[in-house]
Amino acid sequence: MSSKNVLIISELQADHHTLTAALGRAVPQRFTVSCANTLERPVEALIDKANDAVILAYAPETDYLLRLAAKHDIPTPIIVLIDKHTPSLVEKLKSFGAMDFLVRGQIHDDLLHRIIDYSIDLKHANHKISLLSNQDTLTGALNRTGFRAHIRRAVERSERNNVKAALLYIDIDGFNAINEQYGEAAGDHLVQVISKRLAAKKRNTDSVARIGADQFAVVLEDIHAEENVEMIARKMLSTISEVITVADQQLAVTASIGASICPDHGTQYEDLFDCAEKAMVQAKSVPGSTVFIYADKLQLNPASQASLAVDLRHALRRGQFVLHFQPQIELQNHTVVGLEALIRWDHPERGMVRPDEFLPMAEDMGLMQGIGYWVIEQAATACNWLAQEGLDHIEVAVNISFNQFRDEKFTDVVREIINKTGVDANRLEFELTETSVLRNPKEAKHVMDALRDLGICFSLDDFGTGYSQLSHISDLPITALKIDQSFVSELPGNKNQAGICMALMAFARELDLTVVAEGAETQEQVQFLTAHLCHQVQGYFYSPAIPLDSVPRFVQEQMVQTAT
Ligand code: C2E
Ligand code: MG
Ligand code: MG
């Protein structure tokens, strides 16, 4: 059994003698004891890894020392030696982080040995748990929680020592493409290698954290000049871009780094993080590996894409998304038979932002799955509300992007949403694009069949624009085709469009599918579509997407118009 070093801190020589003797009687011999009268440099003494346990005689400064030890997350258990067992004192000592206590005059050998053994084991276990919960499981680097704590301590040290600290926000370029091309195991390997390389470049006081799928952050302490930050960041970029072997391929990745400096850009975690992220987004707009240090002159133009990307990360949590609903009209009787849920971002400064402006960015930033589930749940809630309003015959269609659809949890989460909201799933339709389903028709069929069993039906959106392998369509549980508005916009005058439209409609009829024409804006377009037996139309001619609470009135008005 390896020897455990116990440090005894007391002004009383009698304590040194009693405890040293009692520890010396342990069988087997396992304690090495050192004694000190006071703590001149308390943190250094407590932090000293050579000590396995500290016995600290209670004195006026004990509370302060315990708090200091807790604040620095010192891994050594502290056992306090007191004169008398007073419950309130013991309570207080424990609340300050004391591991246990000993009472003078009541120290038996067995008890002392056991307390020290237990305290060391318990402290180790606690320390390990805290390390694990602060650690990213894939790379062993800190996770966001651990990183937040580290930044807090780094900021305190920087204030105390009057030096600066810096936060680097590192984003690997093109990570999604690597994941897609070589598979997720290859992506994981890449992240592990990069994490190791970053750790090798950091100094002892610095720390590396993984804060997103392909994002890392590093705290640099003891910074004396901005140039140092840039130099270190460049070193990190060059180590990242060394060749990595992934799935037997030699890859060289680039990365973008944004940096913020404490205290210049803030002393709070959130401020430093936001500034570093904004600088990173700016760096990303420059091709290749680039470093940007946040600076006022660099402050993002609030109208820029980069600033939009930063806001997008918080939009879901801040409740800034809304759904509008565009009516789908049955041409035979001009009544509303469905609604397409279309997302809008109600941006505090820019007003309503349309999906084409932010969805591609959300896909790139890996936010689409979260947003997508939110949309499904809102659409389900909308269905329930419509039923309460007496409109339970109206179906609600939701757009599902490729990345959402290929999430392996997709079916389970959709099932959960159906159960949670109690929605009648037969009234939900998912709109998929040709590209989503036809990239891997077998896999798509598997997922679609499972969802079909839950009651959900499918339409093929933007039909005609993808790389239609039409032969697969009949194998899939699809009930409707939505002809893209690029084939409708110049009807009936444009012969090309008219020809394609008629061919697509004939194809749909052949497969017994409902045809919905999108983007009809004029009476002539609607007449042409009606004449060629298109089933349904969705377009500005009838209505743009409207808020949910305007739907019942629109349905009413439409019925009145039809009747007259
Ligand atoms: P989409 O699914 O093809 O939706 C139809 C788009 O055409 C909507 O644009 C709609 O407002 C627009 N539109 C409808 N009628 C007319 C018309 O008569 N004239 C013109 N010029 N446009 C018309 P929006 O809302 O901007 O959505 C654009 C695309 O964004 C959608 O195309 C869809 O692919 C995507 N999207 C919207 N919401 C969501 C969502 O919740 N999830 C996902 N994954 N994608 C969404
Ligand atoms: Mg759609
Ligand atoms: Mg469409």
Side-chain angles (χ1 to χ4, degrees):
M1 186 181 295
S2 68
S3 179
K4 293 168 178 169
N5 294 323
V6 182
L7 172 66
I8 300 166
I9 306 165
S10 171
E11 288 188 330
L12 300 178
Q13 295 300 313
D15 287 341
H16 298 177
H17 289 160
T18 318
L19 292 165
T20 309
L23 289 167
R25 287 192 289 272
V27 182
Q29 266 286 340
R30 59 182 181 285
F31 299 114
T32 310
V33 185
S34 52
C35 298
N37 288 327
T38 51
L39 278 185
E40 262 178 30
R41 297 169 66 83
V43 181
E44 283 79 352
L46 291 175
I47 221 168
D48 188 349
K49 286 209 178 92
N51 296 321
D52 295 300
V54 172
I55 302 177
L56 179 65
Y58 188 67
E61 70 275 14
T62 304
D63 297 358
Y64 162 76
L65 286 179
L66 286 173
R67 269 192 256 163
L68 202 65
K71 192 162 154 195
H72 286 268
D73 210 7
I74 287 166
T76 315
I78 300 175
I79 298 145
V80 183
L81 180 60
I82 51 181
D83 278 330
K84 206 170 146 223
H85 182 179
T86 330
S88 59
L89 174 64
V90 168
E91 186 101 341
K92 182 181 79 171
L93 293 172
K94 288 203 170 165
S95 75
F96 287 161
M99 205 65 198
D100 212 330
F101 64 96
L102 292 162
V103 183
R104 282 196 184 93
Q106 299 177 12
I107 300 173
H108 310 295
D109 289 0
D110 274 357
L111 175 78
L112 175 66
H113 304 155
R114 220 171 37 231
I115 283 186
I116 295 196
D117 285 336
Y118 277 168
S119 297
I120 293 172
D121 289 351
L122 194 60
K123 189 78 186 182
H124 275 188
N126 286 346
H127 196 65
K128 201 160 178 186
I129 289 170
S130 115
L131 273 183
L132 283 176
S133 66
N134 286 334
Q135 250 175 15
D136 169 52
T137 41
L138 179 64
T139 59
L142 291 175
N143 59 19
R144 266 182 190 265
T145 320
F147 193 58
R148 185 186 278 265
H150 188 100
I151 290 194
R152 217 180 24 239
R153 291 198 291 271
V155 167
E156 277 169 15
R157 277 193 287 267
S158 117
E159 283 173 340
R160 198 168 51 236
N161 303 332
N162 211 11
V163 288
K164 297 187 177 189
L167 194 161
L168 304 183
Y169 194 123
I170 306 173
D171 187 284
I172 313 297
D173 300 327
F175 180 72
N176 279 345
I178 294 173
N179 248 345
E180 245 171 59
Q181 192 171 349
Y182 301 103
E184 275 167 24
D188 285 354
H189 174 64
L190 180 96
V191 165
Q192 283 167 328
V193 171
I194 290 177
S195 174
K196 265 203 200 116
R197 288 183 182 174
L198 292 174
K201 280 280 174 266
K202 78 176 180 65
R203 298 165 304 175
N204 263 349
T205 46
D206 303 340
S207 66
V208 175
R210 179 164 176 242
I211 52 169
D214 58 342
Q215 290 168 332
F216 292 91
V218 180
V219 184
L220 307 174
E221 293 199 41
D222 222 358
I223 293 295
H224 295 277
E226 223 172 73
E227 298 84 75
N228 295 351
V229 176
E230 195 161 340
M231 192 187 70
I232 298 170
R234 289 203 179 289
K235 278 192 188 155
M236 301 231 160
L237 283 180
S238 79
T239 186
I240 291 172
S241 60
E242 283 163 27
V243 168
I244 300 178
T245 310
V246 170
D248 291 336
Q249 297 285 321
Q250 304 259 296
L251 294 184
V253 293
T254 58
S256 307
I257 299 187
S260 61
I261 293 171
C262 163
D264 306 9
H265 306 133
T267 54
Q268 298 296 315
Y269 172 83
E270 279 76 15
D271 297 336
L272 290 167
F273 221 87
D274 259 22
C275 289
E277 187 180 16
K278 284 183 174 150
M280 182 280 289
V281 172
Q282 194 87 7
K284 241 185 154 39
S285 63
V286 178
S289 292
T290 320
V291 180
F292 264 87
I293 294 182
Y294 183 83
D296 289 341
K297 62 177 173 350
L298 236 181
Q299 237 165 16
L300 299 172
N301 168 3
S304 74
Q305 287 294 98
S307 135
L308 202 64
V310 173
D311 293 343
L312 186 58
R313 198 178 290 290
H314 308 291
L316 188 59
R317 197 169 25 85
R318 293 182 182 157
Q320 293 171 348
F321 291 123
V322 280
L323 288 188
H324 282 182
F325 295 84
Q326 187 174 33
Q328 293 170 341
I329 310 288
E330 183 76 40
L331 282 178
Q332 226 177 25
N333 54 15
H334 300 278
T335 57
V336 181
V337 286
L339 296 167
E340 178 175 5
L342 293 161
I343 193 168
R344 272 93 186 88
W345 178 10
D346 192 0
H347 190 283
E349 280 118 40
R350 302 181 191 213
M352 285 292 178
V353 185
R354 298 187 66 96
D356 289 340
E357 280 180 73
F358 68 89
L359 287 185
M361 210 158 20
E363 298 273 8
D364 269 1
M365 294 166 72
L367 303 173
M368 200 54 222
Q369 290 183 352
I371 297 176
Y373 290 129
W374 178 87
V375 172
I376 298 173
E377 186 164 342
Q378 291 298 305
T381 312
C383 259
N384 289 342
W385 185 81
L386 289 168
Q388 275 172 26
E389 297 289 308
L391 300 175
D392 58 1
H393 59 285
I394 293 182
E395 293 186 352
V396 176
V398 179
N399 291 283
I400 307 291
S401 76
F402 174 66
N403 278 330
Q404 287 174 261
F405 189 61
R406 62 170 212 162
D407 177 7
E408 55 189 31
K409 301 189 303 303
F410 190 66
T411 317
D412 290 338
V413 179
V414 171
R415 188 183 296 110
E416 264 171 46
I417 293 175
I418 292 172
N419 291 339
K420 183 171 148 196
T421 56
V423 69
D424 172 7
N426 291 302
R427 290 176 54 220
L428 281 181
E429 176 177 296
F430 284 175
E431 295 193 2
L432 303 170
T433 58
E434 288 162 278
T435 340
S436 300
V437 289
L438 298 179
R439 255 197 228 186
N440 188 347
K442 234 173 150 181
E443 177 64 15
K445 181 170 163 45
H446 180 69
V447 178
M448 289 168 81
D449 282 342
L451 292 165
R452 178 62 261 177
D453 289 343
L454 297 175
I456 290 166
C457 60
F458 295 94
S459 61
L460 213 49
D461 200 1
D462 305 342
F463 188 56
T465 60
Y467 58 113
S468 315
Q469 288 166 286
L470 300 178
S471 54
H472 288 294
I473 290 177
S474 56
D475 296 336
L476 297 169
I478 291 168
T479 51
L481 296 182
K482 298 188 75 173
I483 299 183
D484 191 65
Q485 57 175 283
S486 55
F487 305 113
V488 176
S489 58
E490 289 169 24
L491 289 180
N494 184 323
K495 291 272 172 309
N496 256 342
Q497 284 196 0
I500 295 173
C501 241
M502 287 192 294
L504 294 179
M505 286 193 273
F507 172 77
R509 267 198 304 277
E510 200 62 39
L511 294 183
D512 213 10
L513 300 172
T514 304
V515 192
V516 187
E518 289 193 273
E521 295 182 355
T522 66
Q523 177 118 41
E524 292 72 40
Q525 288 166 356
V526 173
Q527 276 165 354
F528 175 91
L529 293 162
T530 312
H532 292 90
L533 304 176
C534 175
H535 301 109
Q536 294 171 13
V537 155
Q538 182 185 335
Y540 293 171
F541 176 72
Y542 287 103
S543 170
I546 53 179
L548 182 65
D549 56 8
S550 309
V551 169
R553 197 158 140 215
F554 179 83
V555 175
Q556 272 295 326
E557 285 171 0
Q558 197 57 36
M559 284 203 297
V560 172
Q561 271 181 27
T562 313
T564 54

